[in-house]
């Protein structure tokens, strides 16, 4: 079986096991050139080890229907929020869901899923994930650290080894998973290359290992410039893009939830919220039920929807900055269940609807699962 090119290989890669590996003109400047030309990937021992790795990955992931990567080239755009709340929403609809935290140096998923201070247990079947609810299992390096605030100072090879362990050794249960949501760190580096390569090895019959990727951005150019790199990464590695989510698209909240301050632009001004609400209640009570909206991040050019169109990928919609969404992540609860009337609840449910439509799950009889 010919070995597929690594995701970080040059265009026109002949493959690491080819007789011209590391010597072809296409190999010039490739980060893998020295290893390929030395025969590191093509020796009998290396091929046997690779085949065992592939077999282990295939066995471990064979009972997962869909694996969804949540990506963004930019940090701070809300990937972990999106990952956690999509997983929570899917599990609340009755789907069996796994949530895998690949942000090894800054894991935040356990807090957002409400499972901090928990540990994984080793059994004969492997690592048992921590369950946020009966339908949602969570796996993160956070569960393996002796101290919650310990710094993880690892180079690429050690990170890659842990990612493979997560995929091979996590026991998601006898029935498997309908969806495995994979939260990734910013960028297009070690963790991204590794997860794509491992999934390609594990699921070769699926035209690419990952079922698809949700790409998260905020509206301003500083974010979109990095997200375009992520979209190009998906194109190069042949990861299908399920769609672009425009996160933090303006602030929306009820006027009655706003804090009023005396002192103009002075954030240390005196709180006069109660006084202002009483005046409004007396003079124009109808405004208290109105929503206020303002753009926090200025949209650049054609914005995320235009960027999605330019890359010929779906636009899944926009999520407003919603204090209740942030509160749900701090409390580790399902936003769409606890705050169903909040401004971001319907847009988030719509995104989940589109995910299910793009990646339906069949029941035991081969019929589409209508849990949603």
């Amino acid at each position: 079986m010919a070995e597929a090119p690594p995701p970080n290989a040059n265009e026109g890669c002949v493959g690491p096991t080819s007789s011209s590996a590391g010597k072809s003109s296409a190999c010039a400047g490739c980060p893998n050139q020295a290893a390929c030309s030395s025969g590191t990937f093509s020796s009998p021992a290396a091929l046997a080890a690779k085949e065992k790795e592939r077999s282990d990955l295939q066995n471990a992931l064979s009972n997962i229907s869909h694996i969804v990567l949540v990506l963004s080239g930019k940090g701070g755009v809300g990937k972990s929020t999106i990952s956690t709340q999509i997983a929570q929403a899917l599990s609340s609809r009755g789907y069996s869901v796994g949530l895998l935290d690949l942000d090894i140096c800054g894991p935040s998923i356990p807090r957002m899923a409400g499972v901090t201070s928990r540990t994984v247990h080793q059994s004969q079947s492997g690592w048992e994930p921590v369950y946020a609810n009966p339908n949602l299992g969570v796996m993160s390096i956070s569960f393996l650290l002796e101290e919650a605030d310990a710094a993880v100072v690892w180079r690429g090879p050690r990170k890659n080894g842990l990612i493979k362990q997560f995929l091979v050794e996590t026991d998601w249960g006898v029935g498997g998973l309908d969806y495995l949501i994979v939260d990734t760190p910013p960028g297009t580096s070690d963790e991204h290359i590794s997860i794509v390569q491992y999934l390609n090895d594990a699921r070769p019959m699926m035209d690419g290992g990952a079922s698809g990727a949700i790409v998260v951005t905020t509206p301003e150019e500083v974010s979109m410039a990095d997200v375009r790199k992520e979209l190009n990464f998906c194109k190069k590695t042949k990861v299908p893009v399920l769609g672009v989510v425009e996160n933090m698209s303006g602030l929306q909240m009820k006027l009655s939830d706003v804090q009023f301050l005396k002192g103009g632009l002075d954030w240390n001004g005196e709180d006069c919220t109660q006084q202002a609400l009483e005046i409004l209640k007396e003079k124009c009570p109808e405004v208290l039920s109105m929503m206020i909206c303002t753009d926090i991040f200025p949209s650049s050019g054609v914005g995320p929807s235009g960027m999605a169109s330019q890359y010929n990928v779906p636009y899944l919609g926009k999520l407003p900055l919603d204090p209740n969404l942030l509160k749900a992540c701090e409390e580790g609860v399902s936003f769409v269940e606890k705050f169903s009337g909040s401004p971001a609840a319907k847009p988030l449910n719509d995104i989940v609807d589109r995910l299910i439509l793009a990646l339906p799950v069949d029941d035991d009889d081969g019929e589409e699962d209508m849990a949603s």
Side-chain angles (χ1 to χ4, degrees):
M1 179 177 179
E3 186 67 37
N8 62 339
N10 287 353
E11 294 290 341
C13 175
V14 296
T17 58
S18 168
S19 59
S20 57
K23 305 168 188 174
S24 166
S25 59
C27 300
C30 177
N32 307 291
Q33 184 177 19
C36 287
S37 60
S38 69
T40 298
F41 298 125
S42 57
S43 69
L47 293 175
K50 188 65 179 176
E51 186 56 38
K52 182 180 186 306
E53 176 184 279
R54 181 182 291 112
S55 177
D56 289 344
L57 287 164
Q58 289 175 348
N59 291 336
L61 302 180
S62 62
N63 61 349
I64 298 176
S65 297
H66 299 297
I67 300 178
V68 179
L69 307 181
V70 179
L71 304 171
S72 177
K74 186 69 175 172
V77 299
K79 291 183 302 300
S80 297
T81 297
I82 300 298
S83 298
T84 304
Q85 292 304 329
I86 284 179
Q88 293 270 25
L90 287 168
S91 70
S92 70
R93 298 187 188 196
Y95 292 104
S96 178
V97 184
L99 180 56
L100 177 58
D101 186 358
L102 286 195
D103 197 341
I104 293 170
C105 295
S108 54
I109 290 295
R111 179 174 182 83
M112 292 186 175
V115 289
T116 55
S117 303
R118 305 270 290 276
T119 58
V120 297
H121 299 286
Q122 187 84 30
S123 71
Q124 289 185 338
S125 302
W127 283 335
E128 295 180 5
V130 171
Y131 282 86
N133 65 55
N135 291 334
L136 176 57
V138 182
M139 191 64 195
S140 170
I141 191 176
S142 179
F143 302 135
L144 307 176
L145 301 177
E146 292 184 3
E147 298 181 11
D149 295 329
V152 179
V153 187
W154 289 2
R155 293 187 181 273
R158 195 171 179 190
K159 290 182 182 179
N160 299 342
L162 180 62
I163 291 170
K164 184 168 72 173
Q165 275 189 284
F166 280 156
L167 294 176
V168 171
E169 297 185 22
T170 304
D171 177 18
W172 297 106
V174 176
L177 298 175
D178 296 321
Y179 297 95
L180 175 61
I181 308 298
V182 182
D183 182 52
T184 66
T188 56
S189 190
D190 289 327
E191 293 90 337
H192 308 78
I193 294 169
S194 295
I195 188 67
V196 169
Q197 185 65 66
Y198 289 143
L199 293 180
N200 284 345
D201 287 346
R203 296 152 67 89
M205 301 304 293
M206 309 186 85
D207 297 323
S211 304
I214 293 175
V215 180
V216 183
T217 187
T218 45
E220 78 284 7
E221 176 59 23
V222 169
S223 174
M224 292 197 300
D226 288 340
V227 172
R228 285 192 287 271
K229 296 180 179 68
E230 197 75 55
L231 290 170
N232 283 321
F233 171 85
C234 291
K235 181 178 180 181
K236 181 174 182 179
T237 57
K238 299 180 180 177
V239 175
V241 177
L242 301 172
V244 172
V245 171
E246 180 179 347
N247 196 26
M248 307 184 203
S249 179
L251 173 67
Q252 293 184 23
M253 59 191 301
K254 287 184 179 180
L255 180 60
S256 59
D257 293 332
V258 171
Q259 183 181 24
F260 294 82
L261 299 175
K262 288 181 180 179
L265 298 178
D266 183 2
W267 282 96
N268 295 316
E270 179 186 351
D271 188 333
C272 59
T273 302
Q274 192 58 41
Q275 179 184 355
L277 292 177
E278 288 174 358
I279 293 172
L280 290 171
K281 185 176 181 179
E282 178 184 352
K283 303 295 185 181
C284 46
E286 65 276 9
V287 304
L288 292 176
S289 61
M290 293 182 180
M291 302 293 295
I292 63 166
C293 304
T294 185
D295 289 332
I296 305 298
F297 300 103
S299 183
S300 175
V302 294
S305 62
M307 178 179 67
S309 178
Q310 289 172 350
Y311 280 82
N312 197 30
V313 299
Y315 176 67
L316 297 180
K318 56 178 67 176
L319 279 176
L321 266 172
D322 185 332
N324 285 330
L325 178 55
L326 305 180
K327 187 176 181 181
C329 289
E330 281 294 304
E331 295 178 357
V333 298
S334 172
F335 167 68
V336 295
E337 286 192 292
K338 184 168 183 179
F339 301 101
S340 58
S342 208
K346 185 180 184 305
L348 183 57
N349 270 320
D350 288 345
I351 290 168
V352 174
D353 288 342
R354 294 185 180 108
L355 170 61
I356 295 170
L357 186 63
L359 300 175
V361 175
D362 292 340
D363 61 22
D364 293 337
D365 297 323
E367 299 294 329
E368 184 177 334
D369 191 341
M370 300 301 292
S372 59

